Amino acid sequence: MTDELPDEHPDGLPELRASDADREQVAEVLRDAVAEGRLDMEEFEERLEATYKARTYKELAPITRDLPVPGVTPPPVPTVSMVKQPAGAGGWAGRIVGGDGSSRWGVAVLGGFERKGRWTMPKRFNSFAFWGGGVIDLREANFADGEVVVNCVAIMGGMSVIVPPGVEVLVRGIGVMGGFDHSEEGVEGDPGAPRVVVTGFAFWGGVGVERKVTKAERLRQKEERRLEKLERKAARQEELEESRRRALEGSGSGDLGHRDSLDEARSIHRAAMEQHRELMREHREARREERRERRDDRRDRDRD
């Protein structure tokens, strides 16, 4: 019986099995693409799912075929700048862009309004809600100044201000049979990060302030936690295998070797029990994380 060689893909790619490292490399390209705005969240989730389901190079190749990869020069870009900040700017300095802002007010009367995504927060944003609600989401926004003011007037309605981690928040609003959320005050901002001052008036209404990462960042953090768990699991397995090896080596060395083997067996048992407890803890943490993500997804869908 002769071994058959792997079939060749029409593009010259053999039908070889992909490794975990190959899948992680593709996932990293996808995370970079969504961070750069080349993919939206729906495309990112679809491709990431396809990546971890892929078994061969043939299945992995199409996932990043239309995306730049490290070491490959991308095609020429338009000479006209499509962004407000200078090319190459990054961090908080790159997000404080000056100007008047792309939107300066929002009104909700028996309805709602929303400002989210990539927009420029002006020095002062005025909002009004009467029997309605509004969302001012600054997680992906640029800022016209190092200190911006969100002025909220809520009459029998509500406002939600969402800020990214690293931003300092000050709340200066007044509530009459209503209130302003002060829970995010007192958190020191990152160097160079803007300050967001939430002010205004709430009557039979409320203004909430929430600090959240973007969905793309949440997925990236989830991937990092998953990889850390895999590394811990591999390290524990390696330790168990080493203990078993030592026990087998000592089993043929007389009485002393027998006692050493018993000690090793007890050590293996303790390590296995600890591994089991660690896996149960990770399982509980994963369940809690999934519940938090479902709540966040429901919140996002309700706002949409």
Side-chain angles (χ1 to χ4, degrees):
M1 181 177 179
T2 59
D3 294 335
E4 294 182 0
L5 293 175
D7 295 334
E8 290 289 329
H9 187 259
D11 295 337
L13 193 65
E15 286 278 15
L16 296 177
R17 303 285 288 187
S19 67
D20 288 340
D22 296 323
R23 284 183 280 271
E24 290 303 330
Q25 185 176 1
V26 173
E28 186 64 28
V29 173
L30 294 178
R31 285 191 285 269
D32 290 342
V34 75
E36 295 167 358
R38 300 181 191 275
L39 295 176
D40 59 30
M41 287 308 305
E42 184 176 355
E43 291 173 316
F44 173 72
E45 291 172 356
E46 289 176 356
R47 296 194 189 198
L48 191 64
E49 182 179 2
T51 297
Y52 289 118
K53 287 182 177 179
R55 292 292 175 264
T56 65
Y57 288 117
K58 177 182 176 181
E59 295 172 337
L60 280 177
I63 297 174
T64 57
R65 185 165 289 164
D66 59 344
L67 298 173
V69 296
V72 177
T73 303
V77 298
T79 56
V80 178
S81 176
M82 304 302 291
V83 295
K84 297 182 184 299
Q85 65 268 27
W92 288 115
R95 293 179 63 177
I96 301 176
V97 298
D100 296 328
S102 56
S103 179
R104 304 182 67 178
W105 54 272
V107 175
V109 178
L110 301 176
F113 76 87
E114 189 174 67
R115 299 291 182 272
K116 65 182 294 186
R118 297 187 182 276
W119 65 295
T120 301
M121 169 70 189
K123 292 182 180 180
R124 183 180 181 89
F125 183 89
N126 294 305
S127 58
F128 174 79
F130 176 71
W131 279 14
V135 176
I136 302 103
D137 189 338
L138 303 177
R139 287 177 293 176
E140 298 180 64
N142 291 325
F143 297 83
D145 195 67
E147 179 171 303
V148 296
V149 176
V150 182
N151 183 52
C152 302
V153 177
I155 309 297
M156 292 181 286
M159 299 280 188
S160 177
V161 181
I162 306 174
V163 300
V167 169
E168 183 183 1
V169 176
L170 298 176
V171 180
R172 298 291 181 265
I174 299 173
V176 177
M177 291 185 288
F180 279 73
D181 182 5
H182 291 258
S183 62
E184 296 299 336
E185 281 192 303
V187 179
E188 186 175 351
D190 292 342
R195 173 186 293 173
V196 177
V197 180
V198 180
T199 186
F201 176 74
F203 177 72
W204 278 13
V207 177
V209 182
E210 189 175 7
R211 193 183 302 272
K212 288 177 60 177
V213 299
T214 62
K215 191 172 183 180
E217 178 64 15
R218 195 165 70 240
L219 287 173
R220 187 191 67 78
Q221 292 175 356
K222 183 178 179 181
E223 282 299 302
E224 286 185 352
R225 289 193 295 271
R226 191 183 72 83
L227 291 176
E228 289 173 358
K229 289 177 182 177
L230 288 175
E231 290 174 358
R232 290 199 300 269
K233 183 177 179 181
R236 288 195 300 266
Q237 190 64 33
E238 184 177 350
E239 182 180 350
L240 284 174
E241 292 297 331
E242 178 64 20
S243 297
R244 292 190 185 100
R245 185 187 63 78
R246 290 197 302 267
L248 289 174
E249 289 176 353
S251 60
S253 304
D255 293 339
L256 181 60
H258 180 67
R259 287 194 297 272
D260 290 341
S261 297
L262 288 176
D263 292 340
E264 288 291 344
R266 295 188 188 99
S267 176
I268 291 172
H269 177 71
R270 287 193 297 270
M273 293 302 297
E274 179 60 31
Q275 182 178 15
H276 175 71
R277 286 192 290 269
E278 180 67 20
L279 289 173
M280 293 301 295
R281 283 195 294 269
E282 291 178 358
H283 178 68
R284 289 193 294 270
E285 290 174 3
R287 292 286 300 276
R288 285 194 292 267
E289 181 66 23
E290 288 175 2
R291 287 195 291 270
R292 282 195 295 269
E293 288 179 358
R294 284 199 293 269
R295 285 197 299 269
D296 290 339
D297 289 341
R298 281 198 299 271
R299 248 188 240 117
D300 292 339
R301 284 196 297 271
D302 292 341
R303 285 169 182 155
D304 293 340

